[in-house]
Amino acid sequence: RTSAKDTHKKTSSSYETSKKTTMTFITSSSSSPNTTVNVKTTMSTRKHRGRRRYRGQQRGRNSIGCLLLLCCLIGAMFASTSTAFASDNTDNGMEDNKNDDLLDLLGEIDAEIEGEFSDEFTLKSDIQVQIAHEITVRGASSGNEKLVQRSIDFIVGDDYASAAFRFCVKHELYHHQHVRATALKIKEEIEKMPEDARPAVGGAAAKRRRREGVPEKRKKTAQERYEVVREYLNETKFVKAGEELSRLVEEFQDHQLNSDEHIEQDKEDVAVGGPLNRLVEVMKRAKRLINDEQKQRDENEKLVSLGEQLKKKMEKKRETIAQSEEGFRELLRQTYETPKSERLERVGRLPPLAKMDVKVDGKMKEMLVFQDQDAQTAVFEWCVYNGIREPEKMVDVLRNLLKLTGEERWRSVNERNAQGYVDAYYGKKTSNVEEALKMWADGTDKFGIISGSKLLELAAQYKEKIADSGEVALELEYEKTVKLLRRNVEYFTASVDFETAMKKDECKNAILFSQTMIKIDRKRPVTALQKLFAAKCKLRLKKFDESATDAFSILSRIKTTGDWKATDIKYLTVYIGGMSAMKLGDSERALKFYAVCVRNDPDFSLCKDIYKNLNSIKKSMKIVDDKLNDKHPRPALEAMDAVEIAAKSLGFHGVKSFENDMNVRKCRAAVFKRQLNDAYDYCQNASDYFGVKAKMIESDPLTGSEDGAEALLEEKVTAEDMLKYAEALRATAELYVADENPKEAKSLAEQALEICRANAGQSSSSRSLKENLESFVRETHNLVRQYENNRDYAKILGVPPNLNELTKERQCDFIKKSFKKLALKWHPDKHETNARKKRAARKLNDAAEARDELNDRANCEAGSVNRERARAEKAKEEERNRQNRARGGGGGGHHWGGHQHQYQRQRRGGGPGGGHWE
């Protein structure tokens, strides 16, 4: 509220303000996708004389504007509601045409080749040519000399002298004559090569100038080259200096290099012994640099080789998937399309056996009966395809057809059916109802149309008799027959819809119709073909476990002997089961599928390569486990590289189960190599994943990943999942032993042994794991006893072993400095992952405990002060946790240390993730 005077000041000058408000209501309606309402309110304020009248007008305008806005809101809500209702009705159909969520195996391979693995495929080797060269080596112990053959690497940008210098340094041939002879050998071998195959000597620019006939630049004199050598030496570029000295040796003779005519030598050169001795000195200085370059080059060559292998395997896999998918399409054509087309081609040219007009939904439609059809089969099929699904109406159509044509017209067709005529599409025909129902029960009547047509004929006969006699018993039999007929109509309709869905690649609909066919009669066996197509759809819908289980049940029912083809049900079953197992990360399960194929047809190419890769994974994994059990990490890591290449080519890359299975092994290898920080990361990831999968961990560490915790918790826990978790716990326990934490190691080892005893089967791997865990648990018990009785605090704190021999002042000084150094090293803030932070906190606690103990032994003043401070901090922490629990915020997080060092930080929090350390 303002006074009249202030109001008069504000409104003494006339002004006009316009405000334009635009609101857009977006609906999903196709007719009006955007509804835009523009509301323009103009407020005009003049002098205070007309204030009351103006305010009344303004209120009226505002009311009108609000009413308009409300109407627009209601209209937009109604439009969106009606559109949503329409979309719901549309979605009540079986499936949307979008298949974005389906698994596309070929698209996945192409995406990996062009995206994820493109860097590995585009790596190029630095080595242009490798030239064999013989050198003399002398045995270190025996002193005997022998000739051996070594390769000279001619890399990009090299000339003869630089390649010779690097080779001689690498093999410790410290003499200028070796450099000159090696350069001559390289030149001779390169000049023997064809012009197109020769490497670019001196770089690509030099090669281009030689090819274009550009005259060479003037060669530098010996003095000019030696000046360049001096500049490189002043900059400590020993490799560059050595290469330039090697060019001097290549271009000039020894007497020229030693004479003052060509090179003016200063006192330092004279003291060294001239340029030739300078070369030997530079070679020795450059050895470490050249060895480092060679290591990087070897690593690059290894990556190039692995990339080439991976590319070949990925291309082979792509060909296999393409051929298998084409085999599925061909099987679909052979099963559904080809018999129909052959039948139409055979009988479509002949005049129809009968014609009749039938009224369907108020419209007349013509029904044609072909030469190879009987009346009941023609009516059954025609009615289903034209939307007449009620058995009573189908019976009326059949009776009308028989009245129109007479029974004599169908005599020859019925006699042929009685003799067991086999239709190319529907199968064997019969004239007996009991035999037709038997065919339905054992699955021989694959579409249900043979038994359905006989039931339709029987129902028509019952209706004719009921019309004549009216017996109650006949009416009951008629009702039973109609009930069975309705079952066959539903089954045939579902099979037609299933066929249509498979042709259109609508996997959700196909599975839905397949389940409908199974529910109609659960006692009726499902055909292998129907189950195979359903398993393929489950694979595309990423239901890998169900797909692999269905594929295994199909293989147990069909014949697998003989030659195999890409269109065989047996191969396509192996393909679906193997791919599903690979997507689950289960290499052994996939190997079992492809072993069936290779065992029956060893030369079948589509199975042979994949089986070879899967078998190599199995053998390499066994090598990895054996080497890790023998505590040999280097060969284990080399075998892991082979496993990862084969795994990437088969599609295991990115599968969480397989990756964490490898993480367990990487953790153990890192432990043996004393790379404990990496080992903590590997073990933490693996134990979290397998703990959630085994339902032993309630937290959700995998949120946001492809197979997250929610998906894992929905799966049924198997004994294999529990054993995987036991292996992860064992690896973590080994890590704790290596990190001098035997109490935690003992606890985890006992937990792993308990899980293993409860879930170990009769397999050799589970028995071996159980035996290893039992011996490991006994080992941890001994380590705990040794740790409790003999703690070496001097070793923990890093002070000299003879600390007690020093004076008190020096002892206290050593203790203080050592703890300060460890406090800087193991502060949790300096470590990234949670596993590393926990390790740092434990190390910091151990260092503080060792500091207090050694302070007490040396009677340092800091000992009692630190103990009192620790007690005070502990009391504060307990009070803080009590208050947090009272507020309902959970625990106060971690209390790391409780000891004081120069970095005092407090991090408080009541919820998850809150921590407090000092």
Side-chain angles (χ1 to χ4, degrees):
R1 304 283 179 109
T2 58
S3 64
K5 186 177 181 180
D6 294 333
T7 307
H8 176 71
K9 287 181 180 177
K10 291 179 183 178
T11 59
S12 59
S13 60
S14 300
Y15 64 90
E16 181 171 330
T17 306
S18 297
K19 283 202 302 184
K20 184 176 181 180
T21 306
T22 304
M23 283 171 287
T24 303
F25 301 95
I26 300 175
T27 66
S28 55
S29 173
S30 59
S31 59
S32 58
N34 294 309
T35 304
T36 305
V37 181
N38 294 333
V39 181
K40 184 173 181 180
T41 306
T42 303
M43 296 183 296
S44 179
T45 305
R46 294 179 177 86
K47 294 195 175 181
H48 61 281
R49 281 179 251 179
R51 183 181 304 277
R52 291 182 181 177
R53 183 179 58 187
Y54 166 73
R55 284 182 178 175
Q57 293 173 356
Q58 187 181 11
R59 288 194 193 100
R61 290 169 184 167
N62 290 342
S63 301
I64 294 170
C66 291
L67 185 61
L68 287 172
L69 286 176
L70 184 61
C71 293
C72 293
L73 281 170
I74 293 171
M77 290 172 62
F78 177 75
S80 62
T81 306
S82 61
T83 310
F85 178 74
S87 64
D88 287 343
N89 289 337
T90 306
D91 291 338
N92 284 335
M94 290 306 171
E95 185 183 11
D96 190 31
N97 290 329
K98 294 181 181 178
N99 291 329
D100 296 339
D101 56 340
L102 298 182
L103 178 66
D104 184 5
L105 293 172
L106 277 177
E108 193 178 69
I109 290 287
D110 292 337
E112 288 176 351
I113 291 175
E114 295 175 2
E116 193 170 357
F117 299 147
S118 60
D119 293 340
E120 298 182 34
F121 296 156
T122 54
L123 285 175
K124 293 184 179 179
S125 174
D126 291 337
I127 301 174
Q128 299 185 86
V129 176
Q130 285 189 323
I131 300 169
H133 185 46
E134 286 187 350
I135 60 173
T136 304
V137 297
R138 180 176 294 173
S141 57
S142 63
N144 297 330
E145 294 183 352
K146 62 177 181 179
L147 281 175
V148 295
Q149 198 172 58
R150 297 288 184 264
S151 62
I152 304 171
D153 295 337
F154 196 87
I155 65 174
V156 177
D158 266 356
D159 56 10
Y160 308 130
S162 57
F165 172 77
R166 193 171 49 255
F167 175 80
C168 292
V169 171
K170 180 181 174 182
H171 297 285
E172 298 182 355
L173 303 175
Y174 299 139
H175 200 277
H176 66 279
Q177 293 292 354
H178 290 301
V179 176
R180 185 176 287 147
T182 306
L184 185 61
K185 172 72 175 177
I186 295 170
K187 185 176 181 180
E188 289 175 354
E189 293 296 329
I190 288 179
E191 287 178 351
K192 289 179 184 177
M193 296 179 184
E195 186 67 30
D196 297 336
R198 289 181 186 178
V201 180
K207 184 177 181 181
R208 185 174 63 253
R209 286 196 301 271
R210 285 193 298 271
R211 187 173 61 248
E212 295 174 356
V214 178
E216 294 286 341
K217 295 181 180 179
R218 180 185 67 83
K219 287 187 177 180
K220 295 180 181 178
T221 63
Q223 182 63 36
E224 289 173 343
R225 285 202 181 277
Y226 201 68
E227 290 296 332
V228 175
V229 171
R230 285 174 178 151
E231 291 178 6
Y232 283 141
L233 289 175
N234 290 333
E235 298 172 2
T236 65
K237 295 180 179 179
F238 299 114
V239 176
K240 293 287 186 182
E243 291 176 353
E244 202 65 33
L245 284 169
S246 300
R247 294 186 187 100
L248 271 174
V249 170
E250 180 194 5
E251 295 174 5
F252 299 94
Q253 297 300 318
D254 294 353
H255 66 276
Q256 294 174 326
L257 296 176
N258 289 327
S259 67
D260 293 336
E261 248 181 78
H262 293 80
I263 297 176
E264 295 179 3
Q265 299 185 21
D266 54 14
K267 292 181 180 180
E268 187 180 352
D269 297 328
V270 173
V272 171
L276 299 180
N277 289 338
R278 175 79 73 181
L279 174 60
V280 175
E281 180 189 354
V282 170
M283 291 173 79
K284 292 178 180 178
R285 289 192 177 188
K287 180 172 176 58
R288 184 178 59 82
L289 298 172
I290 288 178
N291 285 342
D292 292 343
E293 288 179 3
Q294 187 62 38
K295 285 180 183 177
Q296 293 179 0
R297 193 172 299 113
D298 291 342
E299 187 67 26
N300 183 63
E301 291 300 317
K302 181 182 177 182
L303 293 175
V304 169
S305 175
L306 293 177
E308 291 175 354
Q309 293 178 26
L310 179 60
K311 188 173 183 180
K312 289 179 182 177
K313 290 182 178 181
M314 295 285 282
E315 289 173 351
K316 282 186 178 180
K317 183 186 175 185
R318 194 190 187 289
E319 292 177 5
T320 301
I321 292 175
Q323 292 182 33
S324 303
E325 294 296 328
E326 182 59 35
F328 261 108
R329 288 190 286 272
E330 183 61 30
L331 181 62
L332 197 65
R333 284 193 291 269
Q334 292 177 6
T335 307
Y336 298 113
E337 298 175 9
T338 305
K340 285 184 179 179
S341 60
E342 289 177 352
R343 176 188 170 196
L344 290 174
E345 186 178 354
R346 185 177 66 251
V347 302
R349 299 174 183 175
L350 301 175
L353 195 61
K355 290 183 181 180
M356 186 178 70
D357 291 333
V358 182
K359 191 173 184 179
V360 180
D361 295 334
K363 296 180 181 179
M364 300 302 294
K365 291 187 177 181
E366 185 181 42
M367 181 175 69
L368 298 177
V369 182
F370 295 105
Q371 293 284 348
D372 62 339
Q373 287 182 311
D374 51 47
Q376 57 271 16
T377 304
V379 170
F380 186 93
E381 184 178 6
W382 188 88
C383 287
V384 169
Y385 277 114
N386 287 274
I388 302 175
R389 309 286 170 85
E390 292 296 324
E392 293 82 1
K393 294 181 180 179
M394 297 172 71
V395 169
D396 293 338
V397 173
L398 177 60
R399 290 180 65 194
N400 292 335
L401 179 64
L402 293 175
K403 287 178 183 178
L404 180 66
T405 57
E407 294 186 359
E408 287 297 327
R409 188 174 296 186
W410 311 101
R411 187 183 302 277
S412 60
V413 178
N414 292 332
E415 289 176 357
R416 185 182 59 185
N417 291 343
Q419 295 173 3
Y421 168 71
V422 179
D423 187 270
Y425 184 64
Y426 296 119
K428 183 181 177 181
K429 295 290 187 72
T430 181
S431 60
N432 191 353
V433 177
E434 289 76 12
E435 187 178 354
L437 292 176
K438 186 179 178 182
M439 291 171 64
W440 164 267
D442 61 15
T444 311
D445 183 10
K446 57 182 180 179
F447 298 110
I449 194 170
I450 295 174
S451 55
S453 61
K454 297 307 296 181
L455 288 170
L456 178 61
E457 182 184 15
L458 182 62
Q461 293 173 1
Y462 279 137
K463 194 165 186 178
E464 192 74 29
K465 291 178 182 179
I466 289 170
D468 294 340
S469 62
E471 295 182 12
V472 177
L474 290 176
E475 290 182 0
L476 293 175
E477 291 295 327
Y478 173 75
E479 290 177 2
K480 291 180 183 178
T481 306
V482 167
K483 185 177 180 181
L484 293 176
L485 177 59
R486 182 175 286 105
R487 176 200 64 185
N488 282 59
V489 170
E490 291 175 358
Y491 189 89
F492 182 69
T493 304
S495 66
V496 170
D497 293 337
F498 177 77
E499 173 189 346
T500 305
M502 289 302 303
K503 288 178 182 177
K504 294 182 178 180
D505 201 17
E506 296 174 351
C507 283
K508 292 181 181 177
N509 290 348
I511 290 179
L512 182 62
F513 294 132
S514 176
Q515 291 172 351
T516 303
M517 294 162 71
I518 294 171
K519 287 178 183 177
I520 288 171
D521 189 354
R522 295 190 180 276
K523 295 182 180 180
R524 173 184 165 87
V526 182
T527 63
L529 194 63
Q530 175 192 339
K531 202 161 189 176
L532 174 61
F533 285 133
K536 181 179 184 292
C537 285
K538 288 176 181 177
L539 171 63
R540 296 206 62 199
L541 291 170
K542 302 177 184 178
K543 299 179 179 180
F544 304 126
D545 195 20
E546 294 180 20
S547 178
T549 304
D550 289 349
F552 186 78
S553 65
I554 295 170
L555 278 181
S556 62
R557 290 168 51 187
I558 62 176
K559 184 180 178 182
T560 57
T561 56
D563 294 336
W564 286 49
K565 297 184 295 183
T567 56
D568 288 342
I569 294 180
K570 50 190 176 184
Y571 165 68
L572 295 174
T573 304
V574 166
Y575 166 73
I576 292 298
M579 284 294 168
S580 301
M582 291 178 204
K583 291 298 177 184
L584 287 170
D586 194 344
S587 59
E588 293 186 3
R589 194 175 183 183
L591 184 64
K592 289 177 183 177
F593 278 107
Y594 280 95
V596 175
C597 177
V598 174
R599 189 166 53 244
N600 290 284
D601 192 354
D603 297 328
F604 186 51
S605 60
L606 294 181
C607 290
K608 187 167 64 174
D609 294 333
I610 296 180
Y611 176 80
K612 186 178 178 182
N613 289 335
L614 288 169
N615 206 22
S616 69
I617 288 178
K618 181 180 179 181
K619 290 179 179 178
S620 299
M621 291 287 251
K622 189 175 185 307
I623 292 172
V624 170
D625 293 337
D626 292 343
K627 294 299 180 184
L628 289 177
N629 290 334
D630 295 338
K631 299 183 179 180
H632 294 151
R634 191 174 298 278
L637 290 172
E638 292 175 358
M640 280 188 213
D641 291 339
V643 169
E644 288 185 347
I645 286 294
K648 285 179 180 179
S649 66
L650 291 173
F652 288 107
H653 182 73
V655 179
K656 294 295 182 183
S657 177
F658 184 80
E659 283 186 354
N660 285 284
D661 200 10
M662 295 299 294
N663 280 342
V664 173
R665 292 167 171 83
K666 288 178 181 178
C667 173
R668 298 186 67 196
V671 168
F672 297 138
K673 292 185 73 177
R674 304 298 300 176
Q675 298 171 352
L676 299 186
N677 274 336
D678 293 338
Y680 268 100
D681 292 340
Y682 289 135
C683 279
Q684 186 69 43
N685 292 336
S687 58
D688 283 349
Y689 177 82
F690 288 120
V692 173
K693 195 172 182 182
K695 297 186 180 178
M696 299 293 288
I697 298 177
E698 295 182 358
S699 60
D700 191 4
L702 303 173
T703 302
S705 61
E706 185 177 347
D707 359 286
E710 294 181 0
L712 292 176
L713 292 174
E714 291 176 0
E715 297 178 3
K716 185 179 179 181
V717 179
T718 62
E720 185 180 357
D721 296 333
M722 302 300 292
L723 292 177
K724 292 284 187 187
Y725 184 50
E727 287 183 5
L729 291 179
R730 178 188 66 171
T732 310
E734 288 178 350
L735 172 58
Y736 285 152
V737 168
D739 203 22
E740 298 178 356
N741 188 9
K743 290 184 180 179
E744 292 288 338
K746 175 190 169 186
S747 175
L748 289 180
E750 289 174 348
Q751 185 183 355
L753 180 59
E754 184 181 352
I755 292 172
C756 190
R757 283 174 176 168
N759 297 278
Q762 299 300 319
S763 63
S764 59
S765 60
S766 60
R767 288 200 303 269
S768 174
L769 177 62
K770 182 180 174 183
E771 292 171 1
N772 290 337
L773 280 171
E774 288 173 349
S775 63
F776 184 59
V777 167
R778 289 193 295 270
E779 181 184 346
T780 55
H781 279 275
N782 296 332
L783 288 173
V784 169
R785 284 194 293 270
Q786 293 174 11
Y787 181 77
E788 290 176 349
N789 299 329
N790 302 312
R791 292 203 68 183
D792 190 353
Y793 291 108
K795 182 180 177 182
I796 293 172
L797 199 58
V799 296
N802 60 341
L803 183 69
N804 54 357
E805 299 176 3
L806 305 176
T807 62
K808 177 182 175 181
E809 290 76 10
R810 293 199 64 190
Q811 287 185 38
C812 296
D813 189 50
F814 263 117
I815 293 169
K816 181 179 178 181
K817 288 182 178 179
S818 298
F819 179 75
K820 180 179 178 181
K821 183 179 178 181
L822 290 178
L824 288 170
K825 179 181 178 181
W826 294 114
H827 195 284
D829 279 351
K830 291 194 172 184
H831 300 269
E832 298 176 357
T833 61
N834 288 334
R836 297 188 185 191
K837 286 181 184 293
K838 291 178 183 177
R839 182 194 180 205
R842 185 178 59 80
K843 288 286 187 181
L844 196 56
N845 285 346
D846 290 345
E849 183 182 351
R851 177 199 62 184
D852 292 344
E853 182 67 27
L854 293 177
N855 276 335
D856 288 344
R857 292 179 186 177
N859 294 323
C860 298
E861 296 178 359
S864 59
V865 175
N866 287 329
R867 280 195 300 276
E868 291 297 328
R869 188 173 292 150
R871 277 196 288 269
E873 289 297 329
K874 186 176 181 181
K876 286 181 183 178
E877 180 64 24
E878 290 176 355
E879 179 65 21
R880 189 181 299 112
N881 287 338
R882 187 186 64 77
Q883 292 175 1
N884 287 335
R885 285 194 295 270
R887 287 197 300 266
H894 304 287
H895 174 253
W896 284 328
H899 297 279
Q900 170 107 11
H901 60 82
Q902 62 189 29
Y903 294 99
Q904 289 190 354
R905 294 189 58 187
Q906 291 187 351
R907 183 172 293 179
R908 301 177 183 178
H916 164 63
W917 59 80
E918 290 187 346

